[in-house]
Amino acid sequence: TAMIAAYAHNGHGKKSLEFFRQMQLEGTKPNKITFINVLDACNNLGSLAQGKVVHAAIVDGGFEDDVVVGNALVSMYGKCSSLDDATSVFDKMSQ
């Protein structure tokens, strides 16, 4: 998680996503901090496709109801110009 965060926060989103993929391949379960940082990497890359993959992993991991993760998802979708997805996540958060 620390390496993912370091790369994401220093403009190396691609490397951050590579670490995330490796983490998954090794069977390490991501936590909410990991997801927040990976979503930040998607923001930096403007990668909606990768963001949707991470969103699916968030749902699989049971973090879809976490408000902080939800905020990160709304931010990612907004920055990737997917306002319908951002609105959908936001609406689910307020229920």
Side-chain angles (χ1 to χ4, degrees):
T1 298
M3 292 300 293
I4 291 170
Y7 280 116
H9 292 285
N10 287 293
H12 300 284
K14 188 174 180 181
K15 193 72 172 167
S16 181
L17 289 171
E18 289 172 13
F19 269 91
F20 179 66
R21 281 189 217 103
Q22 186 64 36
M23 181 181 191
Q24 289 179 306
L25 289 173
E26 293 175 0
T28 303
K29 299 282 184 193
N31 60 29
K32 76 180 195 175
I33 303 303
T34 306
F35 284 126
I36 292 165
N37 285 298
V38 172
L39 289 169
D40 188 42
C42 295
N43 286 345
N44 293 339
L45 294 170
S47 178
L48 179 60
Q50 283 295 323
K52 286 184 178 248
V53 169
V54 174
H55 189 172
I58 287 168
V59 172
D60 288 344
F63 289 94
E64 68 272 16
D65 293 330
D66 186 283
V67 174
V68 177
V69 174
N71 283 333
L73 278 166
V74 170
S75 177
M76 181 276 300
Y77 280 126
K79 289 179 182 175
C80 291
S81 300
S82 183
L83 299 182
D84 289 340
D85 287 320
T87 301
S88 177
V89 171
F90 181 80
D91 288 345
K92 288 177 186 172
M93 287 172 45
S94 61
Q95 293 179 355

